[in-house]
Amino acid sequence: MQKNKSILPPQTIGIIGGGQLGRMMAIAARYMGYKIAVLDPTPNCPTAQVADIQITAAYDDRNAIKELTEISDVVTYEFENVDLKAAAYIEEKGKLPQGAYALEITQNREKEKQLMKKAGLPIPPFAVVANAEECSEALKEFTLPAVIKTCRGGYDGKGQLKINCAEDIEQALQFAEANEHCIIEQWITFDKEISVVFTRSLTGKITYFPIAENEHRDHILYQTTVPATISELIEEKAYKAAESLAEKMDIVGTFAIEMFVKGEDIYLNEMAPRPHNSGHYTIEACNISQFTQHIRAICGLPLTDIKLLMPTVMVNVLGEDLEGTLKAMAQTEDGFIHLYGKAEPKAKRKMGHITFVAEHEEALKKQIVNFKEATQ
């Protein structure tokens, strides 16, 4: 895509992936006047419910990719496991400003860690193994606990195993043998996890959203609080690391990096080449959301300078929370509720989120307590 070419409404934005991130991208784009086409194998998926066109096909269906490319003026994606050949095809047609490279890196934990290491960024010690024998040898160099992960796939705690003590090694060897291409990382005992969500334009301008502090439960993001309770030094280190990666990878669009904070040090964990769950708070709490800024970036529009309007807490709504959330929705004015239009609520499945905003921390806490009481 030419750097001086702007995609303007009512032109069409194609989205690969029809989940909640695509849905929120589409809503942001529809507000601006764009048309939306989505490629997803599930009929009436969350994004299709707010799109103009749905192509119902597999993500690697070459004919479907060709059709999406032809009917769209620009194409983006809502998850990183996009078929690389498909991404390269769209990029060759000049319609994928994010490019295929960011996908190639973020699809593969080995490539991700090697890039960070080459860039001189702080990461936990790691080793790549292909079988049980290599895993056994590599673990001799680690102090337990450690964690073994598949190099491809896996999210929300899937595709990984924590090795707490010597008794867990046999299980780790089985994991390595079964999954083949794996990465072992030193387990970092951290004080907190933060995420840096930023957007980079076609011309290289970067705007940063306020750093989010994340709390996980059962490996799934439970709650995000902004502003994060971190020092100015940590903030500076986090933004500097994000800038370094953004420039090295020539990022376009909204991008997220999860980091661990230990004392006054940071360790980069994982990254996502798209809007992120920990950035959902931006819809109500900032003057522009991560989704609108993403649309502006991929369409070649100038980025908006970001301001946090009020302190905020975002809480995910999982399948088991949905009934209580609807009950509270009918009883309290607190919280901005976003439900994603998924057909079936399942335990641990993200069905929506709630954002609380207030002028100070005490008011925020009161809103959350009120809402929680109303779910009972």
Side-chain angles (χ1 to χ4, degrees), residues 23 34 43 52 90 124 168 196 224 230 256 283 287 369:
R23 179 188 180 94
Y34 291 100
D52 298 276
I90 305 166
D168 296 334
V196 178
T224 294
I230 53 174
I283 297 171
N287 61 317
V369 168

Side-chain angles (χ1 to χ4, degrees), residues 239-308:
Y239 282 140
K240 194 174 177 184
E243 182 181 14
S244 175
L245 272 180
E247 300 293 347
K248 200 162 192 64
M249 295 174 70
D250 196 20
I251 296 301
V252 172
T254 294
F255 194 96
I257 309 170
E258 295 173 339
M259 307 179 188
F260 299 131
V261 176
K262 187 174 183 179
E264 289 298 287
D265 294 317
I266 59 166
Y267 296 89
L268 275 65
N269 182 26
E270 293 179 350
M271 45 192 182
R274 46 156 175 86
H276 193 259
N277 194 175
S278 64
H280 291 350
Y281 75 87
T282 59
I283 297 171
E284 280 86 22
C286 293
N287 61 317
I288 186 166
S289 76
Q290 63 168 344
F291 301 102
T292 303
Q293 197 80 310
H294 178 72
I295 297 300
R296 294 187 69 85
I298 64 165
C299 290
L301 307 181
L303 299 184
T304 300
D305 290 335
I306 294 163
K307 293 187 183 90
L308 180 68

Side-chain angles (χ1 to χ4, degrees), residues 17 28 34 51 56 66 94 97 120 128 133 154 158 179 181 184 194 198 232 253 258 273 291 297 309 322 337 371 376:
Y34 291 100
T56 309
K66 189 178 177 187
V128 177
E133 188 181 345
K158 298 176 180 73
N179 292 290
H181 189 200
I184 301 169
I194 59 172
F198 64 88
E232 285 184 17
E258 295 173 339
F291 301 102
L309 304 176
L322 185 59
I337 298 171
F371 194 93
Q376 303 307 314

Side-chain angles (χ1 to χ4, degrees), residues 74-192:
V74 65
V75 177
T76 185
Y77 44 80
E78 66 133 27
F79 61 93
E80 47 271 40
N81 291 316
V82 174
D83 181 72
L84 284 180
K85 287 181 182 175
Y89 169 81
I90 305 166
E91 187 174 12
E92 282 165 18
K93 296 294 179 185
K95 292 186 178 181
L96 190 72
Q98 292 160 274
Y101 180 64
L103 288 170
E104 182 189 341
I105 296 298
T106 54
Q107 281 180 11
N108 187 309
R109 287 189 173 104
E110 179 185 0
K111 289 183 178 181
E112 205 171 62
K113 284 292 187 289
Q114 294 290 11
L115 180 82
M116 292 173 181
K117 185 179 179 181
K118 197 174 176 183
L121 296 168
I123 53 173
F126 70 94
V128 177
V129 299
N131 52 46
E133 188 181 345
E134 288 183 12
C135 180
S136 180
E137 281 303 305
L139 281 172
K140 292 173 184 175
E141 304 299 318
F142 284 83
T143 305
L144 299 183
V147 61
I148 184 168
K149 304 175 181 179
T150 55
C151 280
R152 292 181 65 88
Y155 64 96
D156 288 347
K158 298 176 180 73
Q160 65 180 49
L161 175 73
K162 188 179 178 187
I163 311 161
N164 288 300
C165 56
E167 285 72 31
D168 296 334
I169 289 177
E170 183 56 40
Q171 203 178 346
L173 301 185
Q174 291 170 12
F175 184 97
E177 195 67 36
N179 292 290
E180 296 178 342
H181 189 200
C182 297
I183 188 167
I184 301 169
E185 295 175 20
Q186 186 66 57
W187 185 267
I188 299 293
T189 306
F190 54 90
D191 301 325
K192 60 188 66 180

